[in-house]
Amino acid sequence: GAVVSQHPSWVICKSGTSVKIECRSLDFQATTMFWYRQFPKQSLMLMATSNEGSKATYEQGVEKDKFLINHASLTLSTLTVTSAHPEDSSFYICSARDLGETYEQYFGPGTRLTVT
Amino acid sequence: AQTVTQSQPEMSVQEAETVTLSCTYDTSENNYYLFWYKQPPSRQMILVIRQEAYKQQNATENRFSVNFQKAAKSFSLKISDSQLGDTAMYFCAFMKHQAGTALIFGKGTTLSVSS
């Protein structure tokens, strides 16, 4: 089956610093990747849709200058949290859509971000 | 805009019993997909079952089946012969039948299976 990886799985950073999270499709090409944020015991909230080679589309209320998304290749998308603050602490999940699929999305295992 | 509603924050069931999780949605689309995802304590999202809106037949995957009522915009999940490993958070999700669209999730139902 299709596999999506995320790195790191857990990161702790200090307030004011930036942190980058990688999302990779390991055995398929993904024209579209999605980034979600999940607080404990809550649902996944879509942050942005990332298309290879073009600018990401952000959901309303998501600061695009704070959450920088780059989808440089068909297998890699990155989310950079700039000038992180404690309220940015959350679980970030990416998903990827196979080039040949109409509906299937494959989820990464998620990244836990803790900002101290 | 599409919305997905799960009205049961928590459910519990005994091993081997059957449980039904509810989901309703709102959309003006005619073609779309509906999904149930499972998120165990590891937090890895796992696809449980999928339903295409144009198919009248309810989807079934082993112990998991759905009751899809398109006119009522209802999409419930039935888990038969519940197992301890079914303990997880379950999310109902909607997706338009259009390339590049994201999943829209309900708030989730936490299911606890006890022995």
Side-chain angles (χ1 to χ4, degrees):
Chain A
V3 178
V4 175
S5 70
Q6 276 185 246
H7 178 79
S9 58
W10 193 0
V11 57
I12 302 173
C13 70
K14 294 192 174 188
S15 189
T17 62
S18 296
V19 61
K20 181 185 286 188
I21 301 169
E22 292 186 349
C23 175
R24 291 182 185 273
S25 56
L26 298 185
D27 49 3
F28 66 97
Q29 293 184 324
T31 50
T32 305
M33 289 183 171
F34 305 93
W35 287 95
Y36 297 87
R37 183 174 183 177
Q38 186 182 31
F39 291 107
K41 301 194 177 185
Q42 293 189 22
S43 187
L44 283 72
M45 297 301 298
L46 179 67
M47 298 176 66
T49 301
S50 164
N51 290 296
E52 185 265 339
S54 62
K55 290 184 179 180
T57 302
Y58 291 82
E59 295 300 299
Q60 192 171 6
V62 176
E63 300 175 59
K64 61 181 180 182
D65 294 331
K66 181 170 188 59
F67 299 99
L68 300 178
I69 292 172
N70 183 23
H71 193 159
S73 76
L74 284 172
T75 59
L76 173 65
S77 177
T78 59
L79 167 67
T80 301
V81 183
T82 62
S83 186
H85 289 99
E87 57 265 31
D88 298 324
S89 297
S90 188
F91 194 66
Y92 293 87
I93 303 174
C94 74
S95 71
R97 200 112 170 236
D98 192 323
L99 191 61
E101 294 272 1
T102 55
Y103 55 79
E104 189 72 66
Q105 287 191 27
Y106 303 98
F107 284 86
T111 297
R112 180 180 297 178
L113 170 63
T114 302
V115 184
T116 61
Chain B
Q2 289 74 32
T3 59
V4 178
T5 302
Q6 293 179 251
S7 58
Q8 305 155 312
E10 296 180 353
M11 295 278 285
S12 59
V13 66
Q14 296 267 339
E15 257 187 312
E17 292 186 346
T18 296
V19 64
T20 299
L21 307 185
S22 301
C23 173
T24 58
Y25 59 95
D26 189 26
T27 184
S28 59
E29 303 283 328
N30 192 44
N31 292 325
Y32 50 87
Y33 298 99
L34 294 165
F35 305 83
W36 279 97
Y37 280 90
K38 170 184 178 180
Q39 188 180 43
S42 68
R43 302 189 82 170
Q44 173 71 57
M45 295 291 284
I46 301 167
L47 176 63
V48 175
I49 200 165
R50 176 192 77 248
Q51 175 81 42
E52 289 96 333
Y54 65 88
K55 289 187 177 179
Q56 292 186 343
Q57 187 172 6
N58 289 324
T60 299
E61 287 288 341
N62 301 314
R63 298 183 294 109
F64 300 89
S65 61
V66 297
N67 183 4
F68 173 48
Q69 302 289 328
K70 190 173 183 180
K73 295 180 182 173
S74 170
F75 183 61
S76 61
L77 173 70
K78 185 172 82 171
I79 305 174
S80 304
D81 186 25
S82 296
Q83 301 175 358
L84 295 177
D86 294 334
T87 294
M89 197 158 185
Y90 287 81
F91 293 100
C92 178
F94 171 98
M95 187 175 74
K96 290 195 289 187
H97 191 281
Q98 182 181 331
T101 57
L103 291 160
I104 299 170
F105 290 93
K107 290 189 174 181
T109 297
T110 300
L111 176 66
S112 298
V113 181
S114 56
S115 57

